[in-house]
Amino acid sequence: MGDYMPESAKVVAPAMAGKPHDNGTAKEQSGVLYHQLRQKPLNIVGGRGSYLLTEDGLEILDATCGAAVSCLGHSDMRVHEAIMQQLQKIPYCYSLYFTNTAAENLSKILVDSTGGKMTRAFIVSSGTEAVEAALKMAVQYFMELPTPQPQRANFISRKQSYHGNTLGSLSVGHHVGRRALYEKVLAKNTGHVAPCYPYRGMKTGESVESYVSRLSQELEDEFQRLGPDTVCAFVAETMAGATLGCVPPLPGYLKAMKEVCERHGALFILDEVMSGMGRTGTLHAWEQEDVVPDLQTMAKGLGAGYAPIAGLLLNKHVVDTLTKGTGAFSHSQTYQGHPVSCAAAVRVQQIIQEDNLLPNVRAMGAYLGQLLHEKFDSHPHVGDIRGRGLFWALEFVQDKETKETYPPAKKLAWTIHVTGLKPEYAISLMPGNGGADGVHGDHICLAPPYNTTRSEIEMIVERTARVIQEVLG
Ligand SMILES: *Cc1c(COP(=O)(O)O)cnc(C)c1O
């Protein structure tokens, strides 16, 4: 034990001794600030298709692509090649001075994929940055109008939503756990309305139409409360992701929300960081909803994890307004349009098309949904099964009648995740909590790669069932 070992570590080390993923003695002490500081997670040394390989030789079935990221699996040599080729051409150039072919190609692919509705792309390195850029673009947009509207300084978003982790994106999001510590420094200019969440939000006997009109009335009321001409934008995940747990929008819901925005001249921003780029069965999740956003973010499936990358797509009228106005977005980042990341994403997007993966997402997604219903419909503690494409969630309850949640202290979803990593199950599941009301509620999400197979889907459901059996009996 070195003399330099901090006092806190001395206290921690003995308590951890002998535990499976012991962070070790001072000498072997990791330099990594782990998510759980006192516990070293499994070390991943390799990956093949849907499997992750640990340093102990365990092959873990990655049923979630990490955070719905690795949508081509872990070892597509075609993407490796593209990255190598780009490195040999040019690894980096500064977007304030130059453009580069990879960023040009990616932006063209993205713009074309919207049938010309969105006309420019702003490429950054993470979902959070894309959301942050969307918020700033919304603010700037109103200053660029022929008659500027400087009073537009508020946002409206939804409860139990996640839009990223910087102070700006966290302010629009409503992940209670992630906000808690920072509440005092978060922006106060965001109002939060209820999400579209039929399992808990819809009244018994209520029709879809009246539920949707109740939600749009709530949004209207929030506009009125803030002052309708003070709102820049309404921000929503097209399909709610990790925080609420894979909840697809009801028919007509997003359209109704957009109508409220249009009524008051506010922008309609869809955050597709998790649900976009094919995850729900169409390249853009909004394609299934009869709405086109003014601004749209994307990230997780964009580069499939081969490189950090995210994007903001801008609707034609937003671009036109800026072009006629100052002609410059008052925001930029050092790694904007990074050539290597863009080259990786271009190849990923080509592969999704070449290998015809979107029909596979729809077919395998339907199969996953079917198997989950067969396996868990009658389970006493699975309250809701929902999803779309290859993006599904199971929500757990103590009692199906009352929908009573488990105590948060039980950390049910996290326990399911940790149990899944045991060698006898070897499956990585995505845990989520706070879905019911921000604090209570436990669910797990499944998000296999777009090239998954029937037998893999069967294996995911079978292993998940055994894990749940161990945790919940
Ligand atoms: C993950 C996520 C983000 C944040 O993306 P990062 O890459 O983690 O910064 C934003 N919005 C949604 C909907 C997400 O799922």
Side-chain angles (χ1 to χ4, degrees):
M1 296 253 168
D3 290 331
Y4 50 83
M5 191 179 177
E7 208 53 42
S8 57
K10 280 186 197 159
V11 179
V12 167
M16 293 303 297
K19 295 248 173 96
H21 306 304
D22 194 337
N23 195 12
T25 56
K27 242 188 185 150
E28 331 154 349
Q29 187 96 43
S30 172
V32 178
L33 184 75
Y34 298 126
H35 173 57
Q36 300 289 325
L37 259 66
R38 281 170 284 195
Q39 187 120 23
K40 181 179 179 179
L42 295 172
N43 184 12
I44 300 302
V45 295
R48 185 176 51 81
S50 303
Y51 290 86
L52 290 165
L53 180 68
T54 71
E55 67 183 337
D56 306 324
L58 182 65
E59 282 204 322
I60 296 173
L61 178 55
D62 184 0
T64 70
C65 294
V69 171
S70 310
C71 61
L72 298 182
H74 294 288
S75 53
D76 198 308
M77 298 311 284
R78 295 169 291 183
V79 188
H80 300 187
E81 279 290 312
I83 290 172
M84 292 298 283
Q85 281 175 15
Q86 183 60 47
L87 280 172
Q88 282 154 7
K89 285 178 197 150
I90 180 74
Y92 173 75
C93 62
Y94 188 26
S95 69
L96 225 55
Y97 311 151
F98 306 109
T99 185
N100 69 83
T101 306
E104 293 286 339
N105 291 345
L106 180 62
S107 303
K108 183 87 174 88
I109 289 173
L110 293 176
V111 162
D112 287 352
S113 72
T114 68
K117 291 174 178 119
M118 313 300 270
T119 55
R120 293 289 173 112
F122 179 82
I123 307 293
V124 284
S125 311
S126 71
T128 296
E129 292 166 65
V131 169
E132 202 78 27
L135 301 177
K136 291 179 82 172
M137 178 56 81
V139 171
Q140 191 181 347
Y141 168 81
F142 288 104
M143 297 305 290
E144 303 271 336
L145 290 171
T147 312
Q149 302 184 15
Q151 79 285 4
R152 296 228 183 225
N154 291 316
F155 290 94
I156 303 176
S157 61
R158 306 191 307 172
K159 291 173 185 158
Q160 290 108 296
S161 65
Y162 184 60
H163 297 297
N165 245 343
T166 51
L167 293 174
S169 57
L170 199 57
S171 296
V172 284
H174 204 258
H175 188 294
V176 172
R178 289 183 192 176
R179 284 174 61 106
L181 181 60
Y182 304 104
E183 209 56 70
K184 59 192 172 206
V185 292
L186 293 179
K188 302 282 181 278
N189 65 341
T190 303
H192 294 98
V193 295
C196 180
Y197 180 23
Y199 177 60
R200 289 185 187 275
M202 222 164 144
K203 295 175 180 159
T204 14
E206 192 175 30
S207 69
V208 170
E209 290 74 20
S210 59
Y211 179 42
V212 165
S213 80
R214 189 155 58 82
L215 291 171
S216 75
Q217 185 58 47
E218 185 182 345
L219 181 60
E220 170 65 34
D221 294 345
E222 190 59 16
F223 267 91
Q224 295 303 336
R225 188 183 73 83
L226 292 166
D229 67 342
T230 70
V231 178
C232 284
F234 170 66
V235 188
E237 296 167 78
T238 312
M239 173 169 161
T243 305
L244 197 56
C246 307
V247 185
L250 286 173
Y253 164 74
L254 286 171
K255 202 176 156 86
M257 301 308 263
K258 186 174 179 188
E259 274 164 19
V260 178
C261 294
E262 283 174 339
R263 193 180 307 151
H264 301 299
L267 295 183
F268 179 66
I269 303 179
L270 289 180
D271 181 354
E272 299 212 349
V273 166
M274 204 167 204
S275 59
M277 303 322 288
R279 178 54 61 194
T280 67
T282 48
L283 197 62
H284 306 295
W286 53 259
E287 289 172 59
Q288 299 172 56
E289 299 306 324
D290 193 20
V291 287
V292 180
D294 297 307
L295 297 168
Q296 167 193 5
T297 57
M298 52 192 48
K300 285 165 175 141
L302 180 59
Y306 287 86
I309 189 159
L312 167 66
L313 277 181
L314 297 86
N315 192 294
K316 184 175 183 313
H317 76 91
V318 175
V319 177
D320 290 349
T321 301
L322 238 73
T323 310
K324 286 184 209 137
T326 59
F329 183 21
S330 180
H331 176 65
S332 84
Q333 294 199 249
T334 303
Y335 293 130
Q336 194 179 313
H338 192 277
V340 178
S341 296
C342 289
V346 165
R347 200 67 195 101
V348 168
Q349 295 312 311
Q350 288 168 340
I351 291 168
I352 290 174
Q353 299 306 322
E354 282 165 25
D355 292 359
N356 217 11
L357 294 182
L358 294 179
N360 196 60
V361 171
R362 295 191 285 269
M364 291 304 107
Y367 189 47
L368 176 58
Q370 178 202 324
L371 292 192
L372 288 174
H373 279 292
E374 281 171 24
K375 200 79 174 180
F376 298 109
D377 269 346
S378 58
H379 194 289
H381 300 299
V382 176
D384 195 28
I385 302 169
R386 61 203 176 222
R388 179 179 288 176
L390 279 171
F391 202 28
W392 284 81
L394 303 176
E395 180 172 335
F396 301 100
V397 288
Q398 297 204 57
D399 182 315
K400 275 168 105 157
E401 281 306 309
T402 62
K403 301 185 184 175
E404 188 188 349
T405 56
Y406 284 91
K410 191 176 159 76
K411 293 190 188 311
L412 175 65
W414 183 252
T415 306
I416 291 174
H417 166 77
V418 172
T419 306
L421 296 178
K422 286 183 172 181
E424 58 265 45
Y425 307 117
I427 184 167
S428 180
L429 302 166
M430 192 192 304
N433 60 304
D437 59 7
V439 177
H440 300 90
D442 288 271
H443 58 265
I444 55 163
C445 299
L446 297 169
Y450 301 172
N451 49 19
T452 193
T453 59
R454 285 179 77 87
S455 64
E456 246 173 43
I457 295 289
E458 286 157 14
M459 207 183 303
I460 288 170
V461 175
E462 184 264 333
R463 290 189 192 189
T464 303
R466 283 195 290 123
V467 172
I468 291 173
Q469 168 74 28
E470 170 169 337
V471 177
L472 285 175

